[in-house]
Amino acid sequence: MKVVVKIYGPKYFGIDRYDVVTEVLEVDGEPTVMDVLDKLEGRYPGLKRRLLSGDVVAPMHDVLINGRSIAFLRGLTTALKDGDVVQIVPPFGG
């Protein structure tokens, strides 16, 4: 199955780009958010270190599934379906 991942503020996560990173990932079985993050870590080393605090998303950061925060779902164990859109959002100031 495929999921779309959008990483906002990629420079914050150590990715050498300024625009939103969009990836279409092929994942096997019944993947969770953590499975997708593990796969992304292979492409973007350090992403998880900047995004997570232990086994949860760090304060002021967010991960959304189809526009809904995983904080209101099952956190990093939230199951994904084919075609889901995962958005990774760093803290923003304004």
Side-chain angles (χ1 to χ4, degrees):
M1 72 183 235
K2 293 180 182 177
V3 295
V4 176
V5 178
K6 294 185 176 206
I7 304 172
Y8 295 90
K11 279 284 194 189
Y12 175 85
F13 293 110
I15 301 168
D16 192 25
R17 288 180 55 177
Y18 290 101
D19 57 330
V20 175
V21 172
T22 301
E23 296 269 350
V24 178
L25 297 181
E26 188 77 35
V27 287
D28 298 323
E30 298 176 6
T32 64
V33 172
M34 185 57 101
D35 294 329
V36 167
L37 293 179
D38 287 340
K39 194 162 195 167
L40 287 170
E41 181 70 19
R43 293 181 186 193
Y44 307 111
L47 176 87
K48 285 174 50 177
R49 178 176 45 83
R50 291 178 174 98
L51 178 64
L52 303 179
S53 176
D55 60 348
V56 297
V57 175
M60 305 302 294
H61 297 68
D62 209 352
V63 176
L64 304 117
I65 307 298
N66 302 322
R68 188 162 185 213
S69 175
I70 64 170
F72 299 104
L73 301 170
R74 295 183 189 261
L76 296 171
T77 63
T78 302
L80 299 171
K81 301 181 304 295
D82 189 43
D84 278 349
V85 176
V86 178
Q87 296 168 287
I88 299 172
V89 184
F92 284 105

